[in-house]
Amino acid sequence: MTSDQPGREWKLVIHGGAGVIERGRMTPELERNLRAGLEAALEAGAAILGGGGSAVDAVEAAARTLENDVQFNAGRGAVLTFDGETELDAAIMEGSRRDAGAVAGVSNTRNPISLARAVMEKSPHVFLGSRGADRFAEEQGLEQAPPGYFDIPERRRQLEELKANDSDWFDVDMKFGTIGAVALDSSGHVAAATSTGGITGKRWGRIGDSPLIGAGTWADDRSCAVSATGSGEYFIRAAVAHEIAARIRFLGESAQAAADAVMADVKELGGNGGVIVVSAGGETVYSFNSEGMYRGTASPSGRSVAIYGDE
Ligand code: ASP
C-alpha cells in the first residue's frame, strides 16, 4: 500500500553504538575522531539521498563507512569473541516490500552489511549463518578480508581486560560501537541497516539482536525504520524494532513516544542501549537509556552529530 511521493524531504539517522560514554573517559582527540567518523557516514548516506537515491542504498553506504572505521564495533573494528576471533552480524531491510537480508557469525567478509544486502537481493533466503554465509559472500564476489584485517590491538586489549576482570562471562558494558542507519528517501521509502561484532568475549556462537529482523533491525513504509544498539539479549526479548513499528502503526503513537515506551520496557527487563528511528512521515528520533550514544542525523536542512546524553 505504498506509493511513490516524489519530492519528500529525505532524512538520515545513524548510530555508532550506545553505552557508558562519559566525558571523563574521553580524550579530545578520541572525541574528534569519533565525531569525524560519524560525519563521514552521514556524508556517504546524504550524498545518495541528496541525489534522489534510495533509502536502502543510503543506509548501506553509511553502514559500510562505519564498518570500515576501526573505532566502531562493526566490520574492521569488531570486538573479539572469547576465543579471540571475529564473528560479525548484520541486517538490512527496506520498507516498500519488507525485503530483508541478514547474516550472523561471519568471519571473512569485509563488509557484512553488503553481504546482508546480497542475501536480500541475490538469494531466496533472509538469514544466513557463519561459514555458509561467508561462502555465499565469496560466490557473490564480495570483498574478502585479507589476513590480519580484523586484528585490532585495542580490541585484543579489551578482551584481555575482560578476561582479567571476569574470566568466565561476557560483560554487557564491554560493547563499543555497534553501528546502524535508518533513512527515508525522497520517494517516501524507508530502510534500516545494523552491523556489529556483538559483545566482547561472546561465546558458543552467541548472536545478538542486531541481525534479527524485528529485534535490532526493521523497516516498513507503513510505519518506520529502526536500528537498535545495546544489550542484545534484552532487545530480542522485547522485539524492540518491530514493537516500535507496531505502536506507530496500530496505536498511532509518534515515533518518539513509541521508541521511548519500548526503551522503558527494555530498561524494566534490565537492558540498556538505544534506538534510532525514522518514521514514514519524516519524524527522526533518538531514544536511549544509556549514558550516551554515538549518533548523527542529516536532511536537506542540515546535519548534526552527538555523543553524550546531555547534547
Ligand atoms: N546489540 C549488540 C549485540 O547485542 C551490541 C551493541 O549494540 O553494542 O550484539
Side-chain angles (χ1 to χ4, degrees):
M1 278 228 317
T2 55
S3 61
D4 282 358
Q5 292 174 280
R8 279 200 190 203
E9 187 172 90
W10 59 265
K11 301 279 170 68
L12 174 67
V13 190
I14 60 168
H15 72 76
V20 185
I21 304 166
E22 292 160 340
R23 283 191 173 79
R25 296 185 180 208
M26 197 77 81
T27 65
E29 192 192 1
L30 185 57
E31 188 176 322
R32 242 191 338 271
N33 291 341
L34 284 160
R35 287 184 193 273
L38 293 169
E39 272 156 18
L42 285 179
E43 176 57 36
I48 290 169
L49 292 164
S54 72
V56 74
D57 282 345
V59 295
E60 182 189 7
R64 281 177 66 98
T65 305
L66 293 165
E67 283 180 340
N68 293 340
D69 185 331
V70 291
Q71 301 178 102
F72 298 98
N73 171 17
R76 183 148 201 215
V79 298
L80 299 178
T81 67
F82 196 80
D83 299 326
E85 282 157 11
T86 312
E87 292 175 2
L88 306 163
D89 302 337
I92 194 163
M93 185 166 185
E94 69 83 36
S96 66
R97 290 173 28 85
R98 278 171 287 150
D99 283 335
V103 292
V106 163
S107 298
N108 300 328
T109 305
R110 196 167 166 139
N111 288 107
I113 200 65
S114 296
L115 176 53
R117 183 158 184 188
V119 172
M120 174 168 85
E121 292 178 345
K122 309 269 173 54
S123 90
H125 305 301
V126 168
F127 202 172
L128 300 182
S130 57
R131 283 188 306 279
D134 274 321
R135 206 174 326 129
F136 180 67
E138 269 181 65
E139 284 174 23
Q140 289 298 317
L142 295 184
E143 208 175 340
Q144 300 293 289
Y149 180 74
F150 296 113
D151 196 351
I152 306 299
E154 175 59 10
R155 296 310 188 195
R156 292 227 165 263
R157 190 199 63 69
Q158 288 165 359
L159 179 61
E160 274 150 30
E161 185 187 320
L162 173 95
K163 288 186 170 179
N165 290 343
D166 179 357
S167 60
D168 60 11
W169 201 242
F170 66 79
D171 177 348
V172 290
D173 287 329
M174 289 201 68
K175 51 188 162 38
F176 302 89
T178 285
I179 66 95
V182 295
L184 168 70
D185 62 31
S186 51
S187 301
H189 300 304
V190 295
T194 312
S195 182
T196 188
I199 292 180
T200 301
K202 66 183 183 180
R203 291 203 266 176
W204 312 301
R206 179 266 188 194
I207 299 166
D209 60 314
S210 310
L212 295 186
I213 300 302
T217 307
W218 183 257
D220 182 350
D221 283 1
R222 297 170 300 180
S223 52
C224 65
V226 182
S227 172
T229 174
S231 43
E233 280 68 11
Y234 297 93
F235 283 66
I236 294 171
R237 289 163 51 201
V240 163
H242 184 268
E243 186 90 345
I244 291 170
R247 293 184 76 106
I248 293 171
R249 193 165 156 228
F250 300 123
L251 298 180
E253 288 183 347
S254 70
Q256 187 75 59
D260 291 349
V262 175
M263 287 312 302
D265 187 34
V266 168
K267 191 172 182 185
E268 182 80 22
L269 291 174
N272 66 71
V275 290
I276 52 172
V277 186
V278 64
S279 74
E283 184 187 354
T284 57
V285 167
Y286 306 122
S287 180
F288 52 100
N289 62 25
S290 48
E291 280 81 350
M293 179 160 84
Y294 302 114
R295 58 201 189 277
T297 183
S299 74
S301 328
R303 289 183 201 180
S304 67
V305 300
I307 294 180
Y308 306 109
D310 57 9
E311 284 184 82

